[in-house]
Coordinates of all heavy atoms in Angstrom, one line a residue:
I1 N 140.5 31.0 -0.2 CA 140.2 29.8 0.5 C 138.7 29.8 0.9 O 138.2 30.8 1.6 CB 141.1 29.6 1.8 CG1 142.5 29.6 1.4 CG2 140.7 28.4 2.5 CD1 143.5 29.7 2.6
N2 N 138.0 28.8 0.5 CA 136.5 28.9 0.7 C 136.1 28.7 2.2 O 136.8 27.9 2.9 CB 135.9 27.7 -0.1 CG 134.4 27.8 -0.2 OD1 133.8 28.8 -0.6 ND2 133.7 26.8 0.4
H3 N 135.1 29.3 2.6 CA 134.5 29.1 3.9 C 133.6 27.9 3.8 O 132.4 27.9 3.3 CB 133.6 30.3 4.4 CG 134.4 31.5 4.7 ND1 134.6 31.8 6.0 CD2 135.0 32.4 4.0 CE1 135.4 32.9 6.1 NE2 135.6 33.3 4.8
G4 N 134.0 26.7 4.2 CA 133.2 25.5 4.2 C 133.7 24.4 3.2 O 134.5 24.7 2.3
S5 N 133.3 23.2 3.3 CA 133.7 22.1 2.6 C 133.3 22.1 1.1 O 132.2 22.5 0.8 CB 133.2 20.8 3.2 OG 133.4 19.7 2.4
N6 N 134.3 21.6 0.3 CA 134.0 21.3 -1.1 C 134.4 19.9 -1.4 O 134.8 19.6 -2.6 CB 134.6 22.4 -2.1 CG 133.8 23.7 -2.2 OD1 132.6 23.6 -2.3 ND2 134.5 24.8 -2.2
S7 N 134.4 19.0 -0.5 CA 134.7 17.7 -0.6 C 133.6 16.9 -1.2 O 132.4 17.4 -1.3 CB 135.1 17.0 0.7 OG 134.0 17.1 1.6
S8 N 133.9 15.7 -1.7 CA 132.8 14.7 -2.2 C 131.9 15.4 -3.3 O 132.4 16.2 -4.1 CB 132.1 14.2 -1.1 OG 131.1 13.2 -1.5
I9 N 130.6 15.2 -3.2 CA 129.6 15.7 -4.1 C 129.6 17.2 -4.2 O 129.2 17.8 -5.2 CB 128.2 15.2 -3.8 CG1 127.2 15.5 -4.9 CG2 127.8 15.7 -2.5 CD1 127.1 14.5 -5.9
N10 N 130.0 17.9 -3.1 CA 130.0 19.3 -3.1 C 130.8 20.0 -4.2 O 130.5 21.2 -4.6 CB 130.5 19.8 -1.8 CG 129.7 19.3 -0.6 OD1 128.4 19.6 -0.6 ND2 130.2 18.7 0.3
V11 N 131.7 19.3 -4.8 CA 132.6 19.9 -5.8 C 131.7 20.3 -7.1 O 132.1 21.3 -7.7 CB 133.7 18.8 -6.2 CG1 133.1 17.6 -7.0 CG2 134.7 19.5 -7.1
I12 N 130.6 19.6 -7.3 CA 129.9 20.0 -8.5 C 129.1 21.3 -8.3 O 128.7 21.9 -9.3 CB 129.0 18.8 -9.0 CG1 127.8 18.6 -8.0 CG2 129.8 17.6 -9.3 CD1 126.8 17.6 -8.5
Y13 N 128.8 21.6 -7.1 CA 128.0 22.9 -6.8 C 128.9 24.0 -6.6 O 128.5 25.2 -6.6 CB 127.1 22.7 -5.6 CG 126.2 21.5 -5.6 CD1 126.4 20.4 -4.8 CD2 125.1 21.5 -6.5 CE1 125.5 19.3 -4.9 CE2 124.3 20.4 -6.6 CZ 124.4 19.3 -5.8 OH 123.6 18.3 -5.9
S14 N 130.2 23.8 -6.3 CA 131.1 24.8 -5.8 C 131.5 25.9 -6.8 O 132.1 25.5 -7.9 CB 132.3 24.1 -5.3 OG 133.4 25.0 -5.1
G15 N 131.3 27.1 -6.5 CA 131.9 28.2 -7.3 C 133.4 28.3 -7.2 O 134.1 28.6 -8.1
T16 N 133.9 27.9 -6.0 CA 135.4 27.9 -5.8 C 136.0 27.0 -6.7 O 137.0 27.3 -7.5 CB 135.7 27.5 -4.4 OG1 135.1 28.4 -3.4 CG2 137.2 27.4 -4.1
M17 N 135.5 25.7 -6.8 CA 136.1 24.7 -7.7 C 135.8 25.0 -9.2 O 136.6 24.7 -10.1 CB 135.6 23.3 -7.3 CG 136.4 22.8 -6.1 SD 138.2 22.7 -6.4 CE 138.3 21.7 -7.8
S18 N 134.7 25.6 -9.5 CA 134.4 25.9 -10.9 C 135.3 27.0 -11.4 O 135.7 27.0 -12.6 CB 132.9 26.4 -11.0 OG 132.0 25.4 -10.8
A19 N 135.8 27.9 -10.6 CA 136.8 28.8 -11.0 C 138.1 28.1 -11.4 O 138.7 28.4 -12.4 CB 137.0 29.9 -9.9
A20 N 138.5 27.2 -10.5 CA 139.7 26.4 -10.8 C 139.5 25.5 -12.1 O 140.4 25.4 -12.9 CB 140.0 25.5 -9.7
V21 N 138.3 24.9 -12.3 CA 138.1 24.1 -13.5 C 138.1 25.0 -14.7 O 138.6 24.6 -15.8 CB 136.7 23.4 -13.3 CG1 136.3 22.8 -14.6 CG2 136.8 22.3 -12.3
E22 N 137.5 26.2 -14.6 CA 137.5 27.1 -15.7 C 139.0 27.4 -16.2 O 139.3 27.4 -17.4 CB 136.8 28.4 -15.4 CG 136.8 29.5 -16.5 CD 136.1 29.0 -17.8 OE1 135.2 28.3 -17.7 OE2 136.6 29.4 -18.9
A23 N 139.8 27.6 -15.2 CA 141.3 27.8 -15.5 C 141.8 26.6 -16.2 O 142.6 26.7 -17.2 CB 142.0 28.2 -14.3
G24 N 141.4 25.4 -15.7 CA 142.0 24.2 -16.2 C 141.6 24.0 -17.7 O 142.3 23.5 -18.5
T25 N 140.3 24.4 -18.1 CA 139.9 24.3 -19.4 C 140.7 25.2 -20.4 O 140.7 25.0 -21.5 CB 138.4 24.7 -19.6 OG1 138.2 26.1 -19.3 CG2 137.5 23.8 -18.7
E26 N 141.3 26.2 -19.8 CA 142.2 27.1 -20.6 C 143.7 26.8 -20.5 O 144.5 27.5 -21.0 CB 142.0 28.6 -20.0 CG 140.5 29.1 -20.2 CD 140.4 30.5 -19.8 OE1 141.4 31.3 -19.8 OE2 139.3 30.9 -19.3
G27 N 143.9 25.5 -20.0 CA 145.3 25.0 -20.0 C 146.1 25.6 -18.9 O 147.3 25.6 -18.9
I28 N 145.5 26.2 -17.8 CA 146.2 26.7 -16.7 C 146.1 25.8 -15.5 O 145.1 25.4 -15.1 CB 145.6 28.1 -16.3 CG1 145.6 29.1 -17.5 CG2 146.3 28.7 -15.1 CD1 144.6 30.2 -17.3
P29 N 147.3 25.4 -15.0 CA 147.3 24.6 -13.7 C 146.5 25.3 -12.7 O 146.6 26.6 -12.5 CB 148.7 24.5 -13.4 CG 149.5 24.7 -14.6 CD 148.7 25.7 -15.4
A30 N 145.6 24.6 -11.9 CA 144.7 25.3 -11.0 C 144.5 24.5 -9.8 O 144.5 23.2 -9.8 CB 143.4 25.6 -11.7
I31 N 144.2 25.2 -8.7 CA 143.9 24.5 -7.4 C 142.8 25.3 -6.7 O 142.8 26.5 -6.7 CB 145.1 24.6 -6.4 CG1 146.4 24.2 -7.1 CG2 144.9 23.6 -5.2 CD1 147.7 24.5 -6.3
G32 N 141.8 24.5 -6.2 CA 140.8 25.1 -5.3 C 141.0 24.7 -3.9 O 141.2 23.5 -3.6
F33 N 141.0 25.7 -2.9 CA 141.3 25.5 -1.5 C 140.0 25.8 -0.8 O 139.3 26.8 -0.9 CB 142.4 26.3 -1.0 CG 143.7 26.0 -1.5 CD1 144.3 26.8 -2.6 CD2 144.5 25.0 -1.0 CE1 145.6 26.5 -3.1 CE2 145.7 24.7 -1.5 CZ 146.3 25.5 -2.6
S34 N 139.7 24.9 0.2 CA 138.5 25.1 1.1 C 138.9 24.7 2.5 O 139.5 23.7 2.7 CB 137.3 24.3 0.6 OG 137.0 24.6 -0.8
L35 N 138.3 25.4 3.5 CA 138.5 25.1 4.9 C 137.2 24.7 5.5 O 136.1 25.4 5.2 CB 139.0 26.4 5.6 CG 139.0 26.3 7.2 CD1 140.1 25.3 7.6 CD2 139.4 27.7 7.8
L36 N 137.1 23.6 6.2 CA 135.9 23.1 6.8 C 135.4 24.0 8.0 O 135.2 23.5 9.1 CB 136.0 21.6 7.2 CG 135.9 20.6 6.1 CD1 136.9 20.8 4.9 CD2 135.9 19.2 6.6
D37 N 135.1 25.2 7.7 CA 134.7 26.1 8.7 C 133.8 27.2 8.0 O 134.3 28.0 7.2 CB 135.8 26.8 9.5 CG 135.3 27.5 10.7 OD1 134.1 27.9 10.8 OD2 136.2 27.8 11.5
Y38 N 132.5 27.2 8.3 CA 131.6 28.2 7.6 C 131.5 29.5 8.3 O 130.9 30.4 7.8 CB 130.2 27.6 7.6 CG 130.1 26.4 6.6 CD1 130.3 25.1 7.0 CD2 129.8 26.6 5.2 CE1 130.1 24.0 6.2 CE2 129.7 25.6 4.3 CZ 129.9 24.2 4.9 OH 129.8 23.2 4.0
S39 N 132.2 29.6 9.5 CA 132.1 30.9 10.2 C 132.9 32.0 9.6 O 133.9 31.8 9.0 CB 132.7 30.7 11.6 OG 132.9 31.9 12.3
L40 N 132.3 33.2 9.6 CA 133.0 34.4 9.1 C 134.2 34.7 9.9 O 135.1 35.4 9.4 CB 132.0 35.6 9.1 CG 130.9 35.6 8.0 CD1 129.9 36.8 8.2 CD2 131.5 35.6 6.6
N41 N 134.2 34.2 11.1 CA 135.4 34.4 12.0 C 136.4 33.2 11.9 O 137.2 33.0 12.8 CB 135.0 34.6 13.4 CG 134.1 35.9 13.6 OD1 134.4 36.9 13.0 ND2 133.0 35.7 14.3
A42 N 136.3 32.4 10.9 CA 137.2 31.2 10.7 C 138.6 31.6 10.8 O 139.0 32.7 10.3 CB 136.8 30.6 9.4
D43 N 139.4 30.8 11.4 CA 140.9 31.0 11.5 C 141.6 30.3 10.3 O 141.7 29.1 10.3 CB 141.3 30.5 12.9 CG 142.8 30.7 13.1 OD1 143.5 31.5 12.3 OD2 143.4 30.2 14.0
F44 N 142.1 31.1 9.4 CA 142.8 30.6 8.3 C 144.3 30.4 8.5 O 145.0 29.8 7.6 CB 142.6 31.5 7.0 CG 141.1 31.4 6.5 CD1 140.1 32.3 7.0 CD2 140.8 30.4 5.6 CE1 138.8 32.2 6.5 CE2 139.5 30.3 5.1 CZ 138.5 31.2 5.6
K45 N 144.8 30.8 9.6 CA 146.3 30.8 9.8 C 146.8 29.4 9.7 O 147.9 29.1 9.1 CB 146.6 31.4 11.1 CG 146.5 32.9 11.1 CD 146.8 33.5 12.5 CE 146.6 35.0 12.6 NZ 146.9 35.5 13.9
P46 N 146.1 28.4 10.3 CA 146.6 27.0 10.2 C 146.7 26.5 8.8 O 147.4 25.4 8.6 CB 145.7 26.1 11.1 CG 145.0 27.1 12.0 CD 144.9 28.4 11.2
T47 N 146.0 27.0 7.8 CA 146.0 26.5 6.5 C 147.3 27.0 5.7 O 147.6 26.3 4.7 CB 144.8 27.0 5.7 OG1 144.9 28.4 5.5 CG2 143.5 26.8 6.5

């Protein structure tokens, strides 16, 4: 789960989403997950 947003235009810069897209090109269903919190202490439990 990425630290920070990959919404809107950010998707084209995102390494998180590019990994998912790479899987998609190989015929593998794929999902990229991102949390809108850039902190290293981000709380991922609610996700």
Side-chain angles (χ1 to χ4, degrees):
I1 302 169
N2 189 62
H3 288 258
S5 171
N6 278 317
S7 59
S8 185
I9 188 90
N10 298 303
V11 69
I12 68 172
Y13 304 110
S14 167
T16 299
M17 279 306 298
S18 289
V21 169
E22 177 61 35
T25 66
E26 299 183 26
I28 302 164
I31 316 168
F33 292 101
S34 302
L35 172 66
L36 274 63
D37 190 342
Y38 290 93
S39 170
L40 287 176
N41 299 314
D43 183 8
F44 288 92
K45 290 180 183 177
T47 70

